[in-house]
Amino acid sequence: QVQLVESGGGLVQPGGSLRLSCAAHGSIFSINAMGWYRQAPGNERGLVAHITNDGSTNYADSVKGRFIISRDNAKNTLSLQMNSLKPEDTAVYYCNLDGYTYSDYRAGSSVGYWGRGTLVAVSS
């Protein structure tokens, strides 16, 4: 059993900053990667950024230079620092984890988990 809980969403003015957090709870043995995705009404869910177990990061072109993803391995938490926010960043942001419980590890197969999401609204 693994659960992801996002927090930090809210209303922010264009050009402002916001920091999202994702806490992973449960019997987590190992993590391959964690990432942030977002979805606006009527749109497909898309990748914002992700970070692998070796610290490598990837970003969507639309957020490069503005967002920074980071992970606290000791606490199994994921963060997204969002700077220079634009109205088009408005969406529900979801946390994703690809990893293992101990039983998953012994079985040799990782499992993907999703949080329920947190709303970010960028408006003046």
Side-chain angles (χ1 to χ4, degrees):
Q1 177 71 20
V2 176
Q3 292 184 330
L4 304 178
V5 181
E6 301 98 337
S7 62
L11 177 65
V12 64
Q13 295 184 352
S17 298
L18 205 62
R19 186 176 181 87
L20 304 182
S21 296
C22 171
H25 305 278
S27 302
I28 302 170
F29 179 75
S30 183
I31 297 172
N32 292 328
M34 296 186 73
W36 288 97
Y37 294 72
R38 67 186 181 186
Q39 185 173 24
N43 296 108
E44 297 179 351
R45 184 178 300 186
L47 173 70
V48 177
H50 73 85
I51 183 168
T52 63
N53 60 357
D54 64 355
S56 298
T57 58
N58 286 329
Y59 295 90
D61 289 340
S62 60
V63 306
K64 286 182 178 178
R66 298 190 297 121
F67 292 6
I68 301 173
I69 189 171
S70 61
R71 195 177 86 183
D72 187 329
N73 293 329
K75 297 181 178 180
N76 285 334
T77 58
L78 181 73
S79 297
L80 184 69
Q81 180 64 46
M82 309 165 67
N83 301 314
S84 301
L85 283 163
K86 305 174 181 179
E88 49 263 45
D89 294 319
T90 297
V92 176
Y93 285 70
Y94 297 90
C95 180
N96 173 262
L97 182 153
D98 177 52
Y100 307 84
T101 63
Y102 184 71
S103 60
D104 294 331
Y105 174 79
R106 299 305 294 175
S109 180
S110 64
V111 178
Y113 298 92
W114 291 95
R116 287 186 171 272
T118 184
L119 176 63
V120 173
V122 185
S123 177
S124 60

